[in-house]
Amino acid sequence: MTSSKMIALNFTNFNSFLESKTVLVDFWAEWCHPCKPQHRMLEELSIQYDYLLNFASVNVDDNKVIAATHGVRNLPTLILFVNGKEVRRFIGLQNKEQLIIQLEKQLANDKINND
C-alpha cells in the first residue's frame, strides 16, 4: 500500500500550508481514542484524493496555540480550509461515506469557482 499523503502541521508551517489548494486538517491528540480510527481513515483518503486536495494533521497537545486560534475544543475535529479560510467543520468521529460526500461537494464547488 502507498504511504499516507498527510502532512504534520505545526506553528512554523501551518499558515503557509493552508495557502495551498483545499486542505482538510485533522486536529487530534494521542490520548483521544476516536482520533485513531479517524486518522487511519484520513490516511486512506489522502491517497485516494491525492492531487485533488491536501490532508494535514495537528497534534493539539504540541500545538495548543493553533488549536486555540481555531476554536478547537472537541476531538477529533476536522476543518476544511479553502485558500486559508475555514469553509466547513466536522466534530467527532466521522463516517467515511458521509465525509466523502462533503469533500466531493467542496471539490465540485472549487471547480465551479476556478472555471
Side-chain angles (χ1 to χ4, degrees):
M1 178 176 208
T2 308
S3 64
S4 168
K5 305 287 184 179
M6 287 188 74
I7 305 297
L9 299 180
N10 56 43
F11 186 76
T12 305
N13 65 357
F14 186 84
N15 289 329
S16 62
F17 192 78
L18 292 185
E19 293 172 359
S20 65
K21 58 190 170 187
T22 303
V23 180
L24 183 66
V25 180
D26 175 25
F27 289 85
W28 68 282
E30 190 65 41
W31 49 263
C32 169
H33 295 292
C35 292
K36 291 172 177 57
Q38 181 151 291
H39 192 79
R40 284 190 298 274
M41 174 189 60
L42 295 172
E43 287 177 331
E44 292 171 12
L45 291 177
S46 74
I47 296 164
Q48 180 179 340
Y49 284 90
D50 192 23
Y51 303 111
L52 296 174
L53 61 106
N54 289 324
F55 287 77
S57 65
V58 173
N59 180 327
V60 299
D61 288 334
D62 296 338
N63 298 283
K64 290 177 175 45
V65 172
I66 295 172
T69 300
H70 292 282
V72 175
R73 293 184 184 91
N74 299 302
L75 296 180
T77 292
L78 304 176
I79 302 179
L80 188 61
F81 292 92
V82 176
N83 299 323
K85 297 195 183 330
E86 179 178 339
V87 296
R88 183 78 197 266
R89 183 176 292 236
F90 307 89
I91 298 173
L93 183 60
Q94 299 301 302
N95 172 284
K96 184 177 184 179
E97 291 73 25
Q98 292 299 315
L99 184 58
I100 288 172
I101 289 168
Q102 296 304 315
L103 293 176
E104 293 284 345
K105 283 181 184 177
Q106 185 60 50
L107 290 170
N109 190 42
D110 291 351
K111 184 167 178 28
I112 290 168
N113 291 332
N114 290 326
D115 284 347

